[in-house]
């Protein structure tokens, strides 16, 4: 008989974004992060090398921190809380991650090495429930009522997939297959002796990305994370139905809810924090902030192209201009398409497109990226 053998948090990611005032290497970040770890009592730390990942990874007990540099001097620090540590509840792992990130920012901000961008926020949560003696397949997936507009994963006729996912939010898969790996042996201990190695176990999992959490924060009372409320809202959007007995109902929306779904709806989740954190909010970039973001991305892409074309980087402005000339010369249509996209972006920021009285169209002998003359609305006279 099917029964729920485990439920809890499968994934939790916290994020802190900072801007480095001085360039720092990975070794510098390792040393600076080590000082913050020792201050909060987490001295057991080590570097982690992940295949195919260019980010610096530092692991402390129960948490793995990954440092990414998307562009410029912007540094994104993601703390991945391990599900085994969350399940043990030996310590509030979330509070330990927040304390470590807060100490890292506080120490290095006093030294003038970085400036934080916003506060620490949760950017990913995954809640799961394991049901023993249940094999979730296509027959059961057809009884699942999904929100309007959500596409189902394509499957071949007669196929028995190990995982069925919908819109990267809900997925059901055979957890007993995953539990046979050596790194997942602790899951068998959580299930106990009631589940034999050959018994099927299906995991139902809902994952909230930052976009989903921002959307949930618009209707949440107090703007705080409530795991039970998130779980019930997800089960309400994705409903497992069954055909009524003695009735010929063709519409899935008229079918009653399966008993298993009602049992899942009654679950409550333990919280890995002392006080509930706030839900992330949507940050709207102003014109000045957006320009800084676009310039950072442009310079990061230009640096890769200059290195790829093996150009002389002594004069960066000349090297970037040469990259632009080579790129435009590779396709005759690229220049006109690029000008159209530039005018489209200028219209979004409330600026006049090129070719108007303020910005006359360049002559035929001018370069594709000629700068506007001084005195235009975008560049006041005497600014250079």
């Amino acid at each position: 008989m099917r029964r729920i053998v485990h439920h809890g948090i499968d994934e939790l990611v916290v994020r802190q974004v900072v801007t480095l005032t001085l360039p720092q290497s990975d070794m510098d970040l390792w040393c600076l992060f080590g000082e913050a770890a020792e201050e909060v009592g987490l001295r057991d730390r080590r570097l982690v090398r992940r295949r195919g990942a260019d980010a610096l990874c530092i692991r402390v007990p129960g948490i793995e921190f990954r440092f990414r540099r998307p562009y410029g001097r912007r540094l994104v620090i993601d703390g991945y809380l391990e599900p085994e540590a969350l399940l043990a509840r030996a310590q509030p792992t979330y509070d330990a991650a927040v304390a470590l990130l807060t100490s890292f920012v506080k120490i290095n901000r006093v030294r003038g090495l970085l400036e934080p961008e916003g506060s620490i926020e949760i950017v990913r949560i995954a809640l799961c429930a394991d049901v023993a003696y249940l094999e979730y397949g296509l027959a059961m997936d057809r009884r699942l009522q999904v929100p309007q507009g959500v596409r189902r994963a394509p499957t071949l006729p007669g196929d028995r997939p190990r995982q069925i996912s919908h819109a990267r939010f809900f997925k059901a898969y055979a957890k007993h297959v995953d539990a046979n790996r050596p790194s997942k042996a602790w899951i068998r201990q959580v299930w106990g002796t009631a589940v034999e190695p050959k018994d099927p176990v299906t995991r139902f999992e809902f994952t909230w990305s930052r976009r989903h959490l921002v959307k949930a924060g618009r209707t949440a009372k107090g703007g705080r994370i409530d795991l039970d409320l998130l779980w019930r809202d997800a089960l309400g959007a994705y409903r497992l139905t069954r055909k009524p007995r003695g009735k010929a109902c063709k519409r899935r929306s008229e079918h009653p809810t399966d008993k298993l779904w009602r049992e899942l709806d009654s679950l409550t989740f333990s919280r890995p924090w002392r006080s509930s954190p706030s839900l992330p909010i949507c940050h709207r970039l102003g014109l000045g902030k957006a320009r800084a973001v676009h310039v950072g991305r442009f310079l990061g892409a230009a640096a890769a192209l200059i290195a790829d074309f093996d150009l002389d980087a002594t004069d960066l402005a000349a090297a970037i201009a040469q990259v632009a000339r080579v790129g435009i010369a590779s396709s005759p249509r690229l220049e006109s398409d690029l000008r159209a996209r530039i005018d489209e972006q200028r219209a979004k920021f409330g600026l006049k497109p090129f070719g108007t009285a303020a910005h006359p169209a360049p002559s035929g002998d001018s370069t594709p990226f000629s700068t506007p003359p001084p005195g235009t609305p975008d560049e006041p006279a005497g600014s250079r």
Side-chain angles (χ1 to χ4, degrees):
M1 182 179 181
R2 63 188 186 186
R3 63 172 181 170
I4 301 173
V5 293
H6 166 65
H7 68 281
I9 301 176
D10 185 64
E11 187 179 9
L12 183 61
V13 183
V14 297
R15 175 174 295 176
Q16 174 67 70
V17 183
V18 299
T19 301
L20 300 175
T21 57
L22 296 174
Q24 304 289 336
S25 64
D26 288 351
M27 186 55 64
D28 296 334
L29 293 175
W30 161 259
C31 297
L32 296 175
F33 197 79
E35 296 178 6
E38 291 183 358
E39 182 175 332
V40 297
L42 297 175
R43 299 181 178 180
D44 184 13
R45 64 186 186 282
R46 58 189 177 90
L47 287 173
V48 180
R49 299 295 181 184
R50 291 196 171 273
R51 183 180 301 175
D54 56 352
L56 171 67
C57 300
I58 302 177
R59 176 173 292 178
V60 298
I63 316 169
E64 181 178 315
F65 292 93
R66 301 177 188 176
F67 296 74
R68 296 185 296 107
R69 306 172 189 260
Y71 54 86
R73 294 185 178 179
R74 198 166 189 254
L75 181 66
V76 179
I77 309 173
D78 290 336
Y80 291 78
L81 280 66
E82 298 176 355
E84 185 177 2
L86 291 171
L87 184 64
R89 304 188 189 96
Q91 60 178 352
T93 318
Y94 169 80
D95 295 338
V98 171
L100 182 51
L101 290 175
T102 303
S103 175
F104 174 77
V105 171
K106 180 180 178 181
I107 292 175
N108 297 287
R109 188 179 186 183
V110 173
R111 297 174 178 174
L113 300 179
L114 56 84
E115 284 293 331
E117 296 183 13
S119 58
I120 302 172
E121 60 183 14
I122 295 179
V123 295
R124 190 177 182 88
I125 297 178
L127 301 178
C128 65
D130 298 339
V131 182
Y133 311 108
L134 174 67
E135 189 171 356
Y136 191 91
L138 293 178
M140 184 174 291
D141 185 68
R142 294 189 184 99
R143 296 195 285 117
L144 185 69
Q145 182 180 349
V146 301
Q148 187 176 5
V150 174
R151 295 183 179 181
R152 297 172 179 266
T155 53
L156 298 176
D159 188 16
R160 299 183 60 185
R162 288 172 45 186
Q163 175 174 314
I164 298 176
S165 60
H166 299 274
R168 297 182 181 180
F169 178 67
F170 165 76
K171 62 181 179 180
Y173 57 98
K175 193 62 181 177
H176 62 281
V177 178
D178 189 29
N180 292 331
R181 296 188 299 173
S183 60
K184 300 290 184 178
W186 60 273
I187 300 178
R188 293 285 181 183
Q189 301 177 2
V190 174
W191 293 342
T193 57
V195 180
E196 299 294 335
K198 295 183 179 180
D199 293 337
V201 178
T202 297
R203 167 164 291 190
F204 297 93
E205 184 176 318
F206 293 95
T207 303
W208 288 263
S209 62
R210 189 183 187 281
R211 178 174 61 86
H212 290 111
L213 292 175
V214 168
K215 186 177 180 180
R218 297 171 183 170
T219 57
K221 295 182 179 179
R224 298 287 178 177
I225 294 181
D226 188 346
L227 300 181
D228 298 339
L229 182 60
L230 290 176
W231 179 257
R232 288 194 296 270
D233 289 345
L235 290 177
Y238 291 78
R239 190 170 66 95
L240 186 65
T241 63
R242 62 173 180 83
K243 286 188 176 182
R245 299 176 180 176
K247 294 182 180 180
C249 270
K250 295 184 179 180
R251 293 185 178 180
R252 190 183 292 109
S253 59
E254 299 178 359
H255 294 178
T257 304
D258 192 273
K259 180 181 178 181
L260 172 62
W261 223 243
R262 296 195 298 268
E263 294 177 357
L264 294 175
D265 187 71
S266 62
L267 298 177
T268 57
F269 293 83
S270 60
R271 293 151 181 79
W273 43 65
R274 294 189 179 93
S275 59
S276 298
S278 301
L279 286 162
I281 60 176
C282 182
H283 299 288
R284 298 188 179 275
L285 296 179
L287 180 58
K289 187 71 173 180
R291 282 179 176 176
V293 172
H294 294 324
V295 168
R297 293 177 178 175
F298 171 73
L299 294 179
L305 291 172
I306 290 173
D308 186 25
F309 290 153
D310 195 17
L311 301 177
D312 184 10
T314 305
D315 188 353
L316 288 178
I320 293 175
Q322 189 173 353
V323 168
R325 294 190 191 97
V326 173
I328 290 179
S330 62
S331 174
R333 296 179 54 186
L334 183 60
E335 183 176 358
S336 60
D337 295 342
L338 185 58
R339 289 187 184 279
R341 294 185 62 181
I342 291 174
D343 290 340
E344 181 182 352
Q345 293 297 325
R346 289 179 64 85
K348 290 182 179 179
F349 291 118
L351 303 176
K352 294 182 179 180
F354 285 95
T356 60
H359 294 284
S363 58
D365 56 349
S366 61
T367 58
F369 288 96
S370 58
T371 56
T376 58
D378 292 346
E379 185 178 9
S383 61
R384 289 186 176 271

